[in-house]
Amino acid sequence: MRISSSQYFTMNVETMNNQQASLANMYAQISSGKALQTAADNPLGAAQAVALTSQAANLAQYSTNQSSALTSLQQEDSTLSSVTNVMQSIQSLVVNAGNGTLNDTDRSALATQLQGYRSTLMTLANTTDANGNYIFAGFQGGSKPFSDNASGVGATYDGGPGQRQVQISDTRTINVADPGSAIFQSVSSNESSPVSSGSAANTGSGTIGPVSVSDSSDPANSLIYTITFGTTTTGTPPASVSSYSITSTDPSTTPPTVTAPTTPTPYTAGSNITVGSQTVAISGTPASGDKFSVSPANTGSTSDTDIFTTLDSLVNALKQPADSASAQATLQNALTTAGSKISNTYNNVLTTQTAVGGREQEVTATQTAMQTTSTQTANNLSDLVSVNLPSAISQYEMTQNSLQAAQQAFAQIQKMSLFNYLSS
């Protein structure tokens, strides 16, 4: 096979051009530090690099979301801690208010103190974050969640019903703020006690105590029981004695279903009265027509579980003169009712705070796991696109030497001719 001079020259020039292109590419890699200049350098590696870059961007955004979520949860946790401190102070005040040695002036002073605690709770319920958003406003972070009712009793919730959420990973979205209605106007279903109360219209000296529950799973405990006092004739010779009858109301039906009164039972002060799987004792001397009730912690009415309504009612009760046996009984009944409701709200706040703490731990654990993933992704991407400088420089020098040798050899061969041999 004959190779013409033209073919030979063309082949050598093409080889040297290829080597020069290779040197240019190596130089670009060394100067930029990137092994992949174009997708043509490594099509599979380029595709993998795009995927890893996208993954790294997602991980960076999740990291930002996690930090934001943790900040929000920590602020809610801190605020709820302040709420529990105030609630503990309120509970101590209620116990103190039951001291029989206090006079009307003392109780009025306690009422003023209680109003201060209420104002503090209202401020905490309307806490804002660093961006000015209300943390207990649900979806409506820009709206003030709580405001006092025009009637002067209780508060209105103007926030949203839902929980704000943040996505902290591909598969996990976490709640970062609880609506205030679930904290200050609701109670925990598992950590709440039934509420006993006496009618404000009672004229006797009867007082009702807290409720004891023997079987919390009894469906009958979800009914509202009304204990009505009257008189009945019993014994020989016949005599009129104080007695009571019980009616129950099912608040879950529309309209509520009310049972007929039970047969009157003679009343013995301090004896337990059974309603469902619950017992309650009434002491003192109730008058005919006086009424007492035992209700589940949550009857479906916001006013029953609104801590602001409870505190306003208690402030009003403490300001009333206790100048008769009936007035003293009314005050004691108000303290018993408020004590149960305040305790239920306190337990609800603790339950919420526990849930918030659990979410904080979950975010922290996700951060730790994702930091490991982010580091691995960055390493994989670096291994794929970053150039190995020692190896690249060595390869560059070898290629450069090869090119120089080829150029020198080609220059020498160019000088060779048949005439040179003939003349010699």
Side-chain angles (χ1 to χ4, degrees):
M1 177 178 174
R2 296 179 61 186
I3 299 177
S4 68
S5 296
S6 175
Q7 288 177 311
Y8 179 76
F9 290 148
T10 300
M11 291 172 58
N12 278 276
V13 169
E14 183 177 351
T15 298
M16 287 186 288
N17 285 338
N18 290 338
Q19 288 176 317
Q20 287 177 332
S22 179
L23 280 174
N25 185 54
M26 290 181 186
Y27 181 79
Q29 290 179 352
I30 293 171
S31 61
S32 66
K34 295 182 179 179
L36 292 177
Q37 297 298 314
T38 66
D41 295 338
N42 183 353
L44 178 58
Q48 293 175 333
V50 169
L52 288 172
T53 300
S54 176
Q55 182 181 4
N58 289 339
L59 291 174
Q61 184 58 59
Y62 286 140
S63 178
T64 300
N65 290 358
Q66 290 161 6
S67 297
S68 174
L70 189 59
T71 298
S72 296
L73 289 170
Q74 287 173 339
Q75 182 173 14
E76 181 178 1
D77 192 357
S78 176
T79 303
L80 290 176
S81 293
S82 298
V83 170
T84 58
N85 291 336
V86 175
M87 294 296 296
Q88 289 172 345
S89 297
I90 292 174
Q91 287 177 315
S92 297
L93 185 148
V94 172
V95 173
N96 188 24
N99 188 334
T101 63
L102 300 181
N103 55 35
D104 291 343
T105 301
D106 296 330
R107 285 187 288 270
S108 180
L110 291 178
T112 300
Q113 186 178 354
L114 186 59
Q115 286 176 314
Y117 290 142
R118 183 198 185 281
S119 297
T120 301
L121 276 185
M122 179 65 75
T123 300
L124 292 172
N126 289 324
T127 298
T128 59
D129 60 19
N131 297 319
N133 294 317
Y134 293 93
I135 67 174
F136 296 124
F139 293 137
Q140 301 179 16
S143 301
K144 184 178 179 180
F146 287 99
S147 58
D148 292 329
N149 285 332
S151 63
V153 177
T156 300
Y157 179 68
D158 298 314
Q163 293 176 300
R164 294 199 298 276
Q165 298 180 325
V166 172
Q167 187 170 359
I168 60 172
S169 70
D170 286 335
T171 58
R172 184 69 174 102
T173 299
I174 199 163
N175 298 326
V176 297
D178 295 277
S181 56
I183 300 173
F184 301 97
Q185 294 183 326
S186 183
V187 294
S188 170
S189 57
N190 297 324
E191 301 295 333
S192 298
S193 302
V195 178
S196 57
S197 60
S199 172
N202 288 355
T203 58
S205 62
T207 57
I208 191 168
V211 182
S212 297
V213 181
S214 59
D215 182 6
S216 59
S217 64
D218 189 349
N221 295 345
S222 64
L223 304 179
I224 300 174
Y225 294 94
T226 302
I227 305 169
T228 304
F229 279 82
T231 57
T232 187
T233 302
T234 185
T236 303
S240 295
V241 297
S242 178
S243 63
Y244 62 87
S245 57
I246 302 172
T247 59
S248 62
T249 303
D250 187 351
S252 65
T253 62
T254 305
T257 303
V258 181
T259 63
T262 61
T263 301
T265 301
Y267 165 67
T268 301
S271 295
N272 284 332
I273 298 174
T274 301
V275 287
S277 293
Q278 309 162 124
T279 57
V280 65
I282 297 177
S283 303
T285 308
S288 180
D290 283 358
K291 294 183 178 181
F292 301 85
S293 66
V294 173
S295 307
N298 189 354
T299 62
S301 173
T302 301
S303 61
D304 288 340
T305 53
D306 176 19
I307 184 60
F308 301 107
T309 298
T310 298
L311 296 181
D312 289 335
S313 298
L314 181 56
V315 167
N316 182 63
L318 290 172
K319 289 182 176 181
Q320 302 303 313
D323 51 5
S324 66
S326 175
Q328 291 172 1
T330 299
L331 173 61
Q332 184 57 50
N333 289 330
L335 290 172
T336 299
T337 301
S340 297
K341 290 184 176 181
I342 291 169
S343 178
N344 288 340
T345 298
Y346 176 73
N347 290 335
N348 182 59
V349 173
L350 290 180
T351 299
T352 303
Q353 188 175 15
T354 299
V356 170
R359 296 199 290 269
E360 286 181 79
Q361 290 182 341
E362 183 176 356
V363 173
T364 301
T366 303
Q367 279 183 318
T368 301
M370 195 159 289
Q371 284 172 355
T372 301
T373 303
S374 297
T375 301
Q376 185 62 51
T377 300
N379 290 338
N380 291 342
L381 184 59
S382 177
D383 292 341
L384 193 62
V385 303
S386 298
V387 67
N388 185 326
L389 286 177
S391 176
I393 293 173
S394 176
Q395 184 66 29
Y396 178 84
E397 291 179 347
M398 289 177 61
T399 303
Q400 189 178 44
N401 291 335
S402 176
L403 175 60
Q404 290 174 349
Q407 289 172 335
Q408 292 173 358
F410 182 66
Q412 293 297 322
I413 292 173
Q414 274 185 312
K415 298 177 182 179
M416 295 178 65
S417 169
L418 180 60
F419 295 103
N420 292 336
Y421 287 99
L422 292 176
S423 62
S424 61

